[in-house]
Amino acid sequence: VMAMMDLLVADLDKEIQESEVEEKNSQEEYEQFMEDSKTKRAQDAKSIADKEGFKADREAELEKSTLEHKSTLKEDMGKAEEIKDLHLECDWLLSNFEARKEARSG
């Protein structure tokens, strides 16, 4: 009976020791996981900040390009209007050339 009790005590001590080692290993894994998570969060935060900065730069470029496009479009419309006016004036001169020539000579 005493040998059985000694065997049970030895088994119990062994299980306690295994539990302690397993708990220690689990604690180390948990601490490593938390450290990795902290590093990942810091990297993600930096990545987000970088991407937001890049996005802001692209939006500023887009705004600038949009304003330049509008300005260029207005200039082009002004030039087109000027060309149209010149064309109409030339058409009028060509259509009335003979009449004006006769009026001057006549």
Side-chain angles (χ1 to χ4, degrees):
V1 173
M2 286 302 275
M4 255 178 150
M5 291 292 279
D6 289 338
L7 186 62
L8 285 174
V9 168
D11 284 347
L12 187 58
D13 286 341
K14 184 178 177 182
E15 285 182 24
I16 290 173
Q17 189 177 17
E18 286 176 0
S19 295
E20 288 174 352
V21 169
E22 188 176 314
E23 184 178 341
K24 181 182 173 189
N25 290 341
S26 295
Q27 181 66 29
E28 289 174 359
E29 288 175 8
Y30 172 76
E31 288 172 2
Q32 183 62 45
F33 173 75
M34 293 306 290
E35 185 65 31
D36 293 345
S37 295
K38 179 181 174 184
T39 303
K40 176 85 168 97
R41 278 193 309 276
Q43 289 172 347
D44 289 348
K46 184 182 182 317
S47 175
I48 288 171
D50 291 346
K51 288 177 182 179
E52 286 175 345
F54 181 77
K55 180 183 174 193
D57 291 345
R58 296 295 81 77
E59 287 174 346
E61 280 184 28
L62 177 63
E63 183 68 25
K64 180 182 173 190
S65 295
T66 301
L67 292 174
E68 287 176 359
H69 176 69
K70 287 180 181 179
S71 174
T72 303
L73 192 58
K74 285 181 182 179
E75 288 175 16
D76 288 349
M77 290 175 66
K79 293 289 182 192
E81 185 71 25
E82 186 178 329
I83 290 170
K84 181 189 77 137
D85 292 343
L86 286 173
H87 188 65
L88 289 172
E89 188 176 328
C90 286
D91 286 348
W92 183 84
L93 287 172
L94 288 173
S95 66
N96 294 312
F97 176 73
E98 290 299 324
R100 293 181 67 191
K101 182 178 173 183
E102 286 180 20
R104 277 189 293 227
S105 65

